[in-house]
Amino acid sequence: MRVKLFGAGGKVGSVLAPALEAAGHELVELDGAEAMIDFTAPDVVVKNIEAALGARVPCVVGTSGWDTDAIAGKAEEAGVAVFYAPNFAIGAVLMMRFAANASKHIQRAEIVELHHETKVDAPSGTAKATAEAMGGDVPIHSVRLPGIVAHQEVLLSDTGQLLTIRHDAFSREAYVPGVLLALERLGSLPAGLTVGLEKLLD
């Protein structure tokens, strides 16, 4: 597939670009693309998506911290699929699923998420999505320190017991299988915005 990768020089993009080519995809400019992938920053991602919608190019978006509401309507109006996931690590998506299930049985919970010091948004998109899946009223603690990639711990506590569900991404290669899966399924998604890698795992 011919793919335009926004953010190819970034932390995730620099790992993703060679992985896409190794998987048989060709990196091209937007006007020649069959799909667009964005791993950039919250202040530029919407413009990149809008450019792709204007070119009728479906999108896979991994940038978090942006307002998805306006894009949802524009994508539906354009008849183009936009897939967004707060986290492309399959293990992280399973962690979110397990936490949501556990929260039905253990009432008290808190989330601790740890990311590299240059991450712009706090709490992370993954932490927000986890809290929402658990019913919404879950405190989130954000840590930003050098040397960290992406880690999240969900602590569920009741009298006499503590359940901890944790996911650790030690390198950005963890996101590659999820991005390739989204790219593979992009053509089967409906026009408009689809959110969450879990939608592709069922």
Side-chain angles (χ1 to χ4, degrees):
M1 184 181 293
R2 297 188 305 277
V3 179
K4 168 59 182 176
L5 175 59
F6 284 107
K11 291 182 176 69
V12 176
S14 60
V15 170
L16 190 54
L20 287 167
E21 292 180 323
H25 301 291
E26 180 186 359
L27 299 181
V28 299
E29 293 305 314
L30 187 59
D31 58 2
E34 298 170 279
M36 179 275 267
I37 298 175
D38 187 289
F39 279 87
T40 56
D43 59 339
V44 297
V45 61
V46 172
K47 290 181 181 178
N48 292 341
I49 298 171
E50 288 175 340
L53 294 179
R56 301 191 58 78
V57 175
C59 307
V60 173
V61 181
T63 304
S64 61
W66 55 285
D67 183 4
T68 58
D69 291 342
I71 288 298
K74 289 180 179 179
E76 191 168 346
E77 185 178 329
V80 176
V82 175
F83 178 80
Y84 163 61
N87 198 316
F88 277 90
I90 292 173
V93 175
L94 294 173
M95 176 261 307
M96 294 164 64
R97 180 180 290 179
F98 299 154
N101 188 40
S103 69
K104 298 173 185 175
H105 306 284
I106 302 177
Q107 292 185 352
R108 292 288 304 279
E110 299 203 7
I111 297 168
V112 181
E113 59 94 353
L114 306 92
H115 284 82
H116 52 91
E117 62 183 346
T118 57
K119 184 171 177 60
V120 177
D121 56 319
S124 68
T126 300
K128 289 179 182 177
T130 305
E132 184 177 345
M134 295 172 68
D137 190 22
V138 182
I140 301 172
H141 308 275
S142 298
V143 177
R144 298 290 177 266
L145 289 171
I148 294 173
V149 178
H151 312 267
Q152 180 169 296
E153 190 171 64
V154 183
L155 300 99
L156 301 105
S157 182
D158 207 337
T159 304
Q161 61 179 323
L162 172 69
L163 172 62
T164 302
I165 303 171
R166 182 180 175 103
H167 177 262
D168 298 286
F170 299 111
S171 73
R172 290 168 180 87
E173 281 85 359
Y175 308 131
V176 171
V179 173
L180 293 176
L181 175 63
L183 201 56
E184 177 187 329
R185 301 283 181 85
L186 192 57
S188 64
L189 295 178
L193 180 68
T194 300
V195 179
L197 195 63
E198 66 275 7
K199 303 282 178 51
L200 308 183
L201 297 180
D202 294 330

